[in-house]
Amino acid sequence: MEKCKEALTPMGTSTYLDLDEIGKSVDESRYRGMIGSLLYLTGSQLDIMLSVCLCARYQSNPKESHLTTIKRIIKYLKGTTNVGLWYPKGTSLNLIGFSDSDSKGCKLDRKSTSGTCHLLGSSLVSWNCKKQACVALSTAEVECIAVGS
């Protein structure tokens, strides 16, 4: 991957990950190692968190399509070595929180994903993304579950 072409985004807009039951299997331990390394990097590169977590769902039976997505994330990281979190001094310290969720985001189990972020001034201090525990039947129900959690 050292001489690979850089990618502009961690995951393509038309990328859809599923179980890929007919795809060719890849080495589970190698795939899990790559996921572990990428999860470590999410501490400083929050922009890859969603893509890495989507790929982490398939650790028990990874296929070539999942490995291709992991390689795309690595190509993105190669092109963003100069990007990181920045906390400027002298900004106001207002704590602001945002919450959002999607409706039936996962096509496999129809569960929604909720997310939150908290800013201290203009600096990101907390971020969370989690698949909801139950299936919601409407967007209003999805939002109520997100607010409750």
Side-chain angles (χ1 to χ4, degrees), residues 18-84:
D18 62 0
L19 292 176
D20 193 13
E21 295 173 354
I22 59 172
K24 184 178 176 187
S25 295
V26 296
D27 182 27
E28 287 181 24
S29 61
R30 179 177 172 222
Y31 185 83
R32 289 178 183 160
M34 294 170 90
I35 290 287
S37 297
L38 290 173
L39 284 171
Y40 175 77
L41 288 174
T42 59
S44 62
Q45 293 268 147
L46 293 176
D47 51 347
I48 64 170
M49 178 68 85
L50 178 65
S51 302
V52 173
C53 289
L54 286 174
C55 293
R57 294 178 183 175
Y58 305 102
Q59 291 185 70
S60 63
N61 191 16
K63 305 291 183 178
E64 281 186 347
S65 61
H66 305 131
L67 185 61
T68 302
T69 306
I70 291 289
K71 289 180 179 179
R72 167 75 182 250
I73 298 169
I74 294 170
K75 290 177 183 180
Y76 170 74
L77 290 171
K78 184 178 184 212
T80 58
T81 55
N82 60 342
V83 176

